[in-house]
Amino acid sequence: MTSQRTSAKQRQLAKALKSKQKTIPKANSGRWLFFWLGMSGIAMVSATAGALLAFSLTSSPLQQAELSPQDEAVFDSDRISGSGLRFSELTRPVNLLVMGMSVLPSDITNPPPELQNLGYEPQVNSFEGLADVMLLIKFDPASKRIAMLSIPRDTRTEVFGYGVKKLNAANIDGGPALTAKSVSNLLGDIAIDRYIRINVLGVGNLIDALGGVTVNVPKDLKYQDDSQRLYINLKAGEQHLNGDQALQLLRFRHDELGDIGRVQRQQMVIRALMDQTLNPTTVTQLPKILNVVKENIDTNLTVEELLALAGFGVRTNRSNMHMFMLPGRFSQPEEYQASYWLPNRTGISRMMSQHFGVPLTRELREVNSRSLRVYIQDSTGSDRTQIIPLVKNLEEFGYRKIQVAVPWNEPLQVTNIIAQQGDIDNAELIRSQLGFGEVRIDSTGIIDSDITIQLGQDWLQQRPSWSTIR
């Protein structure tokens, strides 16, 4: 009897609710929507705050290096995140220096006894070695943009107190502070607020913790180094990679582009990770992820500051995430005994002014269409002769340095107009002149180009109208 009465009451309640729903004004439903959105946001903040508290009570500090007061002074110590319930909010622009460390026993002063006399050199969870990867990332809440600059490890520059040498050696000579000073000097005295060093062992664990990454491997990659037990064997094409496989893609540099090609592949993986894993769910799981990789990380960021940066990343439109590579060129064999990436000071000044807010130190000539190096790559399988009308029309627009390069191996629906050197203004100009495609700010185009046009299926739709000069 009790269950029957309860069922009857439930039916009456459901009927009453249904009747009420018919009489509730539409504006009211909007208020309820915002109410539940707000409650969801509060729940997410509360869950994250609880996880952060648990993490702070159970984990060791993220900073593992002992910096002297002089070294600490290299970095801006002003607070970057809010207080109270605003702890996950980024309150000012932040320049973060990221270093990826690949360390062997021979790289460190006192390697653990168990890693000696093995007959090969395994990776060591240490931060003492060369900086294999260097990124300067600007998080800017004012412009709602993220700018990410890749600095090749073989960049030839001044390392304070140690002369002109490869930038990756600065970490061995003086740790993160000396690296930050040398990077700042190279980039027009830009202020660096924080640093993070992550060992290569942690990168694989991090990618696994994020559920892997789906990328288009640009070509077959195969390499074997028995001295490190490094075995790389990846086939070309789109595939979902686990941490170990992603490391193979990230570490490969044994082709004609060497470390520069590796920088391009790193940008591909970073962009894919941002697209696939940078979401509110990941932010709430940040403490759990940090527990997986905390032994492989050294940083002067607090957990709360890491959360603020991740939260800003979630709220940033993907079109406002720009990626660059330090402008420069390969050294020639007759120039130096060692192989270097030689910085282009003019290109650096222009890039830092446009994307990082560094004032120009001298007058720079304006780039005009005649001096721009424009490369075209086709992804549609078109015959090379079918691209000639596009070349002729670009010449009519005033471009004089145009080359048709090797085809792009990944099929594209939409044409990519890549600002290889970070020149977004001229990339946007070409986009408006062509009338199709989308601008991308990264360095995955032709190394020697200013603008790389990777033709997609939208070009095939436009091609008939380009058969005559406009």
Side-chain angles (χ1 to χ4, degrees):
M1 290 293 293
T2 303
S3 62
Q4 289 177 351
R5 283 198 299 269
T6 303
S7 297
K9 287 181 179 179
Q10 288 175 340
R11 286 195 296 271
Q12 290 175 359
L13 180 60
K15 188 174 181 181
L17 285 173
K18 190 172 182 181
S19 175
K20 277 189 177 182
Q21 286 174 352
K22 290 180 180 179
T23 60
I24 293 175
K26 289 185 178 180
N28 230 13
S29 64
R31 292 195 192 101
W32 278 107
L33 174 62
F34 286 118
F35 171 77
W36 286 115
L37 285 174
M39 292 299 292
S40 298
I42 292 172
M44 182 178 294
V45 170
S46 300
T48 307
L52 280 171
L53 178 61
F55 181 88
S56 63
L57 291 175
T58 60
S59 70
S60 57
L62 293 175
Q63 186 163 2
Q64 301 189 36
E66 293 185 10
L67 301 184
S68 68
Q70 293 81 1
D71 286 346
E72 289 179 352
V74 170
F75 304 97
D76 190 332
S77 60
D78 288 350
R79 188 180 182 90
I80 68 173
S81 59
S83 57
L85 288 178
R86 296 178 61 218
F87 67 90
S88 64
E89 181 180 335
L90 194 66
T91 55
R92 68 174 179 86
V94 176
N95 293 322
L96 173 67
L97 178 63
V98 179
M99 291 171 276
M101 315 303 299
S102 177
V103 184
L104 302 177
S106 58
D107 296 330
I108 59 181
T109 307
N110 296 306
E114 64 270 18
L115 298 181
Q116 301 178 29
N117 303 317
L118 293 175
Y120 71 98
E121 290 212 284
Q123 290 290 325
V124 183
N125 184 31
S126 169
F127 306 100
E128 292 184 28
L130 299 170
D132 227 27
V133 176
M134 278 174 285
L135 300 169
L136 182 68
I137 308 176
K138 180 177 183 177
F139 302 81
D140 190 350
S143 65
K144 299 181 180 179
R145 290 182 178 179
I146 295 176
M148 189 177 303
L149 175 64
S150 296
I151 308 172
R153 68 176 199 165
D154 292 339
T155 299
R156 188 175 189 270
T157 190
E158 181 184 0
V159 176
F160 287 102
Y162 295 87
V164 176
K165 59 195 305 187
K166 291 186 178 182
L167 181 59
N168 67 340
N171 185 71
I172 289 180
D173 296 330
L178 182 61
T179 304
K181 287 175 63 177
S182 302
V183 167
S184 174
N185 180 62
L186 172 67
L187 302 180
D189 295 326
I190 188 170
I192 296 180
D193 300 285
R194 302 288 190 274
Y195 80 88
I196 181 170
R197 295 188 293 186
I198 180 167
N199 187 277
V200 68
L201 296 173
V203 175
N205 293 336
L206 175 63
I207 292 174
D208 280 334
L210 292 171
V213 60
T214 299
V215 296
N216 186 76
V217 179
K219 60 183 179 180
D220 289 350
L221 303 177
K222 195 172 181 65
Y223 177 73
Q224 179 173 328
D225 184 350
D226 292 326
S227 68
Q228 297 184 41
R229 292 197 176 177
L230 172 61
Y231 305 113
I232 298 174
N233 188 10
L234 296 173
K235 294 295 183 182
E238 184 175 290
Q239 50 201 289
H240 190 77
L241 305 180
N242 62 26
D244 178 68
Q245 293 167 324
L247 274 180
Q248 293 179 43
L249 179 59
L250 290 168
R251 296 185 67 188
F252 182 85
R253 61 186 183 98
H254 301 277
D255 58 12
E256 67 279 1
L257 291 179
D259 191 52
I260 304 306
R262 182 170 65 167
V263 167
Q264 292 184 313
R265 289 184 287 274
Q266 288 166 358
Q267 290 194 358
M268 289 169 50
V269 172
I270 291 170
R271 185 172 288 280
L273 282 171
M274 290 191 301
D275 289 342
Q276 297 164 33
T277 67
L278 203 55
N279 54 57
T281 301
T282 305
V283 174
T284 60
Q285 293 177 345
L286 180 62
K288 178 181 176 181
I289 294 170
L290 284 176
N291 263 321
V292 175
V293 299
K294 64 183 180 182
E295 300 300 327
N296 308 117
I297 286 179
D298 165 48
T299 179
N300 58 352
L301 283 163
T302 65
V303 178
E304 291 84 357
E305 289 175 338
L306 271 171
L307 182 68
L309 295 177
F312 178 74
V314 167
R315 294 186 292 272
T316 301
N317 190 292
R318 296 299 180 267
S319 64
N320 284 336
M321 293 181 176
H322 301 162
M323 305 177 75
F324 322 97
M325 184 174 66
L326 188 81
R329 65 173 177 86
F330 289 110
S331 64
Q332 298 301 311
E334 64 273 10
E335 290 182 281
Y336 305 100
Q337 290 183 339
S339 175
Y340 292 102
W341 182 251
L342 302 179
N344 180 320
R345 302 293 176 180
T346 298
I348 292 172
S349 295
R350 185 176 291 114
M351 178 181 289
M352 297 307 294
S353 173
Q354 190 171 7
H355 299 286
F356 288 85
V358 177
L360 293 177
T361 56
R362 63 178 184 275
E363 285 296 322
L364 297 174
R365 64 181 179 84
E366 288 188 7
V367 176
N368 57 56
S369 58
R370 290 180 178 273
S371 66
L372 278 179
R373 300 164 296 174
V374 180
Y375 281 68
I376 300 173
Q377 290 183 292
D378 177 50
S379 80
T380 66
S382 300
D383 186 272
R384 192 180 181 94
T385 59
Q386 295 176 307
I387 302 176
I388 292 177
L390 175 60
V391 174
K392 289 184 176 179
N393 276 273
L394 286 171
E395 289 175 344
E396 283 293 305
F397 287 133
Y399 303 98
R400 291 292 177 263
K401 297 181 178 180
I402 305 172
Q403 293 193 43
V404 178
V406 294
W408 182 248
N409 70 328
E410 179 185 359
L412 299 173
Q413 291 299 314
V414 178
T415 295
N416 289 332
I417 301 171
I418 299 175
Q420 179 70 22
Q421 310 296 332
D423 189 347
I424 188 172
D425 293 338
N426 276 294
E428 292 285 3
L429 178 60
I430 287 180
R431 162 68 184 85
S432 66
Q433 291 168 332
L434 294 181
F436 63 91
E438 64 181 18
V439 171
R440 291 187 57 169
I441 315 299
D442 59 36
S443 299
T444 57
I446 300 296
I447 294 295
D448 293 330
S449 72
D450 292 301
I451 308 292
T452 295
I453 303 173
Q454 295 173 340
L455 296 174
Q457 293 297 314
D458 56 344
W459 151 246
L460 297 182
Q461 300 167 10
Q462 298 281 339
R463 192 167 63 191
S465 63
W466 286 76
S467 57
T468 58
I469 298 177
R470 295 184 176 184

